[in-house]
Amino acid sequence: EGAASGELAAPAEGSLFGALEGLLRHLLCKYDSPMLGAMAGGFTWTDGGGVAYGDGEGAVIVMCSSPGIRLALRFVRVYAAVGRGESDVAACKEHLTPNLTKKMIRLLADSGSATVPSPPELEVPKSIHHVQPDSVRLASPLALMRAAQVAALGG
């Protein structure tokens, strides 16, 4: 039992994400855009590469690593910029990478969900060298961006 057993850390309740989405849109969004759904993962995604805290009774919180936080922050900045009314293209080129084309950015906007996504289901780390399953990495906003890039290039 506990961190050594490898049980899954449960994501928070779904109703919290509706409240989070309402708060984000209220605070950050003067304008609506399909890009907001693709970028909203920056608020909830975690790579599970940080420290795991447990209360000794089974509840475990797995933190995001520092590089994971920096990655998520880039997508959060795009969310805020687009919500302020900046163009999707300008925001993505400024905060993500200037090498994105308009087609890549359009495909990225189309790939997002209409709501704030739930965080990925993490494994409680068994050691300092624990690697989370591929589903965690593939749930990241970066994975959405890479998939849009590949699709735009005909892959």
Side-chain angles (χ1 to χ4, degrees):
E1 186 170 2
S5 70
E7 78 254 12
L8 296 174
E13 296 296 319
S15 62
L16 292 175
F17 297 105
L20 175 63
E21 181 177 7
L23 180 65
L24 291 174
R25 289 189 182 268
H26 174 73
L27 295 177
L28 297 176
C29 297
K30 185 175 179 181
Y31 300 97
D32 198 18
S33 166
M35 181 61 76
L36 297 178
M39 298 297 111
F43 291 100
T44 58
W45 177 77
T46 178
D47 62 2
V51 178
Y53 296 102
D55 65 0
E57 297 181 18
V60 178
I61 297 173
V62 182
M63 305 298 288
C64 192
S65 68
S66 180
I69 290 170
R70 287 193 303 274
L71 172 69
L73 182 59
R74 295 173 80 168
F75 289 90
V76 166
R77 287 181 176 146
V78 172
Y79 185 98
V82 170
R84 279 194 309 266
E86 289 182 29
S87 82
D88 297 351
V89 174
C92 286
K93 286 186 175 220
E94 178 182 349
H95 298 292
L96 299 177
T97 177
N99 297 330
L100 292 173
T101 65
K102 288 181 182 179
K103 184 176 182 181
M104 290 173 188
I105 294 168
R106 182 176 38 81
L107 289 170
L108 175 60
D110 293 343
S111 68
S113 66
T115 61
V116 175
S118 299
E121 197 168 281
L122 301 173
E123 291 180 356
V124 176
K126 298 175 189 173
S127 72
I128 195 165
H129 301 292
H130 182 80
V131 176
Q132 292 292 339
D134 288 340
S135 61
V136 173
R137 183 177 41 81
L138 294 174
S140 76
L142 179 62
L144 284 178
M145 186 181 86
R146 295 293 185 225
Q149 286 175 305
V150 168
L153 295 171

